Amino acid sequence: MAQRDWLGLKQELPANRRLVLTVLSFLTPLILWTAVSYVPWLWHPLVHITAPGDVDYFVEDMEVPKADFAKELAKVQAAGGELPQGERVNPVYLPAPHKVARAFYTAFTTEPRLPNEPWLHESLSHSIRTICWGFLISSIFGLPLGILCGTYRFFSRLQEPFIEFFRYLPAPAFGALCVAILGIDDGPKIAIIFIGTFFQQVLVISNTVRKVDPALIEAAQTLGAKGWKLMRRVVIPASISDIYTDMRILLGWAWTYLIVAEVVGTMSGITYFINQQARYRNFDNVYAAIFMIGIIGFTSDLFLAWIGRIIFPWKRRSGSPSKLGAWFAKLLPKKPAPAVPVEA
Amino acid sequence: MTALAPHSLDYRQQAPEVAARFERIKQRPVILSVKDLKKTFGQNGSTRTVFDGVSLDIHRREFITVIGPSGCGKSTFIRIIAGLDECNGGVALLDGKNIGEPGPDRGMVFQGYTLFPWLTVKRNVMFGIEMRGKGKFVAEAEARQWLEMVGLSKFEDAYPHELSGGMKQRVAIARALANEPRILIMDEPFGALDAQTRAQMQSYLLQIWRKVDITILFITHDLEEAAYVSDRILVMGTNPGRVVEFIENPIPRPRSPAQFVSPEYLALKMRLEELIHPPVEVEEDKLPVVKMTSAGDDVE
Ligand SMILES: Nc1ncnc2c1ncn2[C@@H]1O[C@H](COP(=O)(O)OP(=O)(O)O)[C@@H](O)[C@H]1O
Ligand SMILES: [Mg+2]
């Protein structure tokens, strides 16, 4: 196993190598970021003035581009005055990793500046609520409609051409309309997530259902299944685990609509928080909040994937036979069964 | 009767006891009766006839194999019997009644297993029983019996993907039989299995057929398989698909691999061989000669 190539074409890698690569995929951008942040000669395009010296417009704590600083330094040197001092820094919008890491904690403990401003945890839960409502309402309609369209040509013909057209209309374009109809609170935001999710959902799910192996449906028919029973006992179970995967992906898409949705009407949720923090130039908090969205989305997806493996045990196949399969293989009779006398 | 080529053994001159056996079979009631069945594909304008004039009567507890080259319409034929396709002419009667929609009276076993991957082995077998309106407990008890019959009791809680091909096909057989069909229709059921497993499955099937009162229509393109398991062999030809010959298999039952060297078996096989792979006329001079190696002409 371990002798196999790291770059085997379409070959599954051993588990330990997969883990190494997964860790590396996160580590690489982190290392780049760390390097740019802490190695002084990497990028650092600004100079943070610690002592203005004889340059008239320099003041302490000011940040000037590297080239300007060099020019002024040369001038003062030529004139023989007091030299300005400073250290190279990155722009304020690229805080160092440790600052962002600290912000993960401090962002929650910083009191809002304005009296009616929400805390970070309130902003986050507001966003999650918006997503959940939008996705739930979309699924209540999209899931059955998708399954119907995938099963019956009738519904597919009746619905899909319009939906196919509608999904090209960008959801944010409906912002003003949603506000006019649903007011400025959460209504229009949920509506935007609904519009962004629903049409994709119907198409994706109907496509998944259409891909159910027709041989399974025929087999069920020859076993006496028809009509609603065929749908409930075969079509739905045959596609349910793929539908579940679709739903996970769709939920991911819903997250991408969140920021757009939250600027509709009164800005709210995590978008409001990010906006305010950017205004206060607390970019460490901005990054922390953005990463939190990523972490919430990513971990909830991992969680759902884990749930999926539990509720769909028949999908638990790996490249190598499962432990259970290997165990069963041992029970297999080794010898062909003896021929039993047959009489015509 | 057509005159037989001199070199083929006269397999039609059945020994009296064999002739008597087939006489007895013909006394039994007809389960499936097919007359002049015809199937075309395509709309008017460019239709293609898959087969035409296929007729056969299958008697109770008979084991019929249908053999023929790939593309002669074997699968299409049984899909019509199963009710999955419609014919364009002729009639097919099951117990004297026109066959209609697919139903549990015709049990199907396909080459691709078609087990429900989301159900355990036991649940797969229970599927049809439940579809017929029986309760869960009854269905479970019956499913267990059928699994015991195919020797898979230990695997009742396994999922299909945990089984080998041969085991999957045994589950598929149990699932079809659990509906107590009038006829079991199998489309190249062992075609995807390796030779050893296939031989084993053939013996299994004969064993099951002996224990259960079931009529079998078995499609294959393997003529040894056809000779080993069948009572009668329907040989189909292609372009268009048609019945070439209906052969009564003289090999006595019970069958065993020991008979593979018996004269009846060899004669039957030779005849099937002739029907399915007619000798190709090759004009040797016209074949292009390509020298692949430097071995020279002395290589035989
Ligand atoms: N749905 C279809 N439309 C058009 N032609 C078909 C269809 N299904 C099968 N055929 C044709 O019918 C012929 C017989 O196919 P099939 O019954 O699968 O043969 P066999 O099982 O003997 O190999 C093939 O030539 C195939 O191309
Ligand atoms: Mg076929």
Side-chain angles (χ1 to χ4, degrees):
Chain A
M1 270 279 236
Q3 263 71 15
R4 251 194 284 164
D5 216 343
W6 281 87
L7 296 176
L9 194 70
K10 297 203 101 183
Q11 258 172 27
E12 190 49 280
L13 291 164
N16 52 352
R17 290 190 181 181
R18 282 206 300 266
L19 185 66
V20 167
L21 293 175
T22 305
V23 170
L24 215 57
S25 81
F26 279 94
L27 223 48
T28 318
L30 194 63
I31 287 172
L32 278 176
W33 182 25
T34 308
V36 168
S37 297
Y38 300 126
V39 180
W41 65 85
L42 276 181
W43 202 37
H44 288 73
L46 299 176
V47 175
H48 182 98
I49 313 281
T50 48
D54 275 348
V55 184
D56 0 330
Y57 74 91
F58 279 7
V59 286
E60 215 176 310
D61 278 346
M62 187 187 186
E63 282 170 10
V64 295
K66 208 167 62 182
D68 292 359
F69 184 83
K71 206 162 67 190
E72 296 300 333
L73 187 70
K75 264 197 238 167
V76 175
Q77 248 168 351
E82 194 188 331
L83 298 181
Q85 312 219 326
E87 55 193 24
R88 285 173 64 179
V89 291
N90 280 328
V92 64
Y93 57 77
L94 185 73
H98 74 273
K99 286 190 184 153
V100 174
R102 201 178 47 207
F104 263 87
Y105 174 70
T106 55
F108 282 104
T109 56
T110 350
E111 206 166 324
R113 290 204 193 175
L114 302 175
N116 57 351
E117 220 173 63
W119 289 72
L120 173 58
H121 64 90
E122 288 170 332
S123 300
L124 276 175
S125 68
H126 191 167
S127 291
I128 293 174
R129 234 177 310 140
T130 309
I131 288 267
C132 287
W133 276 116
F135 192 72
L136 185 73
I137 295 172
S138 167
S139 300
I140 287 174
F141 297 101
L143 203 54
L145 193 59
I147 294 175
L148 278 180
C149 287
T151 315
Y152 299 104
R153 286 295 125 80
F154 173 82
F155 291 101
S156 162
R157 272 281 125 211
L158 188 65
Q159 302 291 339
E160 284 188 28
F162 173 72
I163 290 174
E164 193 76 57
F165 158 74
F166 205 99
R167 87 190 162 108
Y168 283 101
L169 310 183
F174 290 88
L177 204 58
C178 290
V179 170
I181 298 169
L182 298 165
I184 55 168
D185 293 329
D186 286 348
K189 305 178 207 314
I190 293 172
I192 294 289
I193 292 182
F194 175 86
I195 293 170
T197 311
F198 177 76
F199 300 97
Q200 309 284 351
Q201 194 169 33
V202 173
L203 293 179
V204 166
I205 289 178
S206 77
N207 210 38
T208 296
V209 173
R210 252 195 296 276
K211 274 191 300 212
V212 169
D213 185 358
L216 287 182
I217 295 175
E218 288 177 353
Q221 284 176 315
T222 65
L223 290 166
K226 51 184 140 189
W228 167 240
K229 270 191 181 165
L230 190 60
M231 177 100 152
R232 194 172 65 84
R233 297 288 306 267
V234 182
V235 176
I236 294 176
S239 52
I240 193 73
S241 76
D242 288 338
I243 290 179
Y244 185 83
T245 309
D246 289 344
M247 295 288 273
R248 272 171 51 205
I249 295 168
L250 286 159
L251 187 58
W253 289 355
W255 275 97
T256 65
Y257 279 105
L258 177 69
I259 304 294
V260 182
E262 281 181 339
V263 297
V264 169
T266 47
M267 201 188 283
S268 70
I270 194 71
T271 313
Y272 178 76
F273 179 86
I274 289 173
N275 248 47
Q276 286 303 95
Q277 295 304 315
R279 200 170 288 170
Y280 305 145
R281 301 184 77 70
N282 292 339
F283 285 100
D284 43 358
N285 282 356
V286 171
Y287 280 90
I290 292 174
F291 287 146
M292 275 176 214
I293 298 179
I295 290 168
I296 292 170
F298 187 65
T299 50
S300 61
D301 189 62
L302 284 184
F303 175 71
L304 290 175
W306 177 73
I307 296 277
R309 278 197 294 278
I310 291 176
I311 56 180
F312 307 122
W314 66 92
K315 283 279 163 176
R316 249 183 268 149
R317 64 182 82 190
S318 52
S320 54
S322 65
K323 273 183 200 150
L324 197 61
W327 182 74
F328 279 131
K330 271 188 232 149
L331 297 180
L332 260 173
K334 295 281 182 314
K335 278 187 214 145
V340 169
V342 181
E343 206 188 347
Chain B
M1 260 202 194
T2 50
L4 290 163
H7 59 271
S8 67
L9 282 163
D10 199 357
Y11 68 98
R12 284 179 199 229
Q13 301 291 306
Q14 304 283 27
E17 65 271 17
V18 177
R21 178 157 64 100
F22 281 103
E23 241 359 272
R24 279 204 308 278
I25 289 178
K26 277 177 199 148
Q27 300 306 310
R28 299 184 200 156
V30 174
I31 299 281
L32 181 75
S33 170
V34 176
K35 275 238 156 39
D36 279 332
L37 208 65
K38 176 181 177 178
K39 176 71 186 173
T40 58
F41 277 116
Q43 305 300 315
N44 38 352
S46 65
T47 53
R48 210 173 79 72
T49 304
V50 180
F51 57 76
D52 196 358
V54 174
S55 306
L56 83 156
D57 281 343
I58 304 180
H59 301 266
R60 184 164 170 193
R61 265 203 112 184
E62 222 180 347
F63 199 137
I64 302 278
T65 54
V66 178
I67 188 166
S70 179
C72 69
K74 304 183 293 293
S75 296
T76 310
F77 171 64
I78 60 151
R79 283 177 61 83
I80 292 170
I81 306 291
L84 296 169
D85 270 344
E86 279 176 8
C87 61
N88 305 84
V91 281
L93 307 171
L94 185 73
D95 289 322
K97 287 188 285 286
N98 260 311
I99 52 140
E101 290 185 341
D105 50 357
R106 285 147 288 155
M108 301 292 295
V109 175
F110 303 95
Q111 181 176 357
Y113 316 123
T114 64
L115 297 180
F116 304 125
W118 61 92
L119 296 178
T120 59
V121 163
K122 184 177 69 192
R123 292 313 216 95
N124 260 288
V125 179
M126 285 165 65
F127 185 92
I129 309 174
E130 286 178 329
M131 283 299 136
R132 282 183 294 142
K134 295 206 184 176
K136 219 169 210 155
F137 283 111
V138 180
E140 191 167 351
E142 287 186 18
R144 286 222 166 92
Q145 281 176 9
W146 287 107
L147 282 175
E148 203 182 325
M149 166 85 65
V150 297
L152 288 176
S153 294
K154 280 182 199 146
F155 301 87
E156 61 172 43
D157 291 321
Y159 282 95
H161 75 262
E162 294 164 326
L163 305 181
S164 70
M167 291 159 83
K168 279 185 208 170
Q169 208 54 295
R170 271 145 70 192
V171 178
I173 292 169
R175 185 178 67 170
L177 288 178
N179 266 338
E180 293 164 24
R182 297 294 294 156
I183 186 166
L184 181 65
I185 304 172
M186 312 176 86
D187 188 2
E188 305 199 16
F190 311 142
L193 305 176
D194 60 86
Q196 204 182 338
T197 315
R198 193 180 321 159
Q200 195 180 329
M201 290 296 292
Q202 288 160 2
S203 300
Y204 258 120
L205 183 63
L206 286 178
Q207 208 175 312
I208 292 166
W209 177 65
R210 183 182 173 272
K211 285 189 240 171
V212 185
D213 174 10
I214 186 75
T215 310
I216 299 183
L217 177 59
F218 186 105
I219 311 289
T220 180
H221 64 244
D222 176 349
L223 46 88
E224 298 184 12
E225 183 169 73
Y228 182 46
V229 298
S230 67
D231 286 320
R232 287 190 293 161
I233 305 170
L234 181 81
V235 184
M236 286 180 73
T238 129
N239 283 329
R242 71 215 124 89
V243 177
V244 175
E245 199 156 315
F246 211 169
I247 298 175
E248 293 179 345
N249 184 341
I251 306 167
R253 292 190 187 271
R255 302 273 163 80
S256 80
Q259 292 164 320
F260 288 165
V261 289
S262 73
E264 295 107 318
Y265 182 88
L266 293 175
L268 177 62
K269 210 181 123 185
M270 191 184 278
R271 179 65 190 154
L272 288 172
E273 212 58 91
E274 274 172 12
L275 289 170
I276 291 168
H277 313 292
V280 186
E281 303 275 326
V282 181
E283 287 183 60
E284 272 195 44
D285 297 344
K286 288 195 182 153
L287 286 179
V289 179
V290 181
K291 288 233 167 96
M292 308 282 284
T293 66
S294 55
D297 295 329
D298 46 322
V299 176
E300 197 74 34

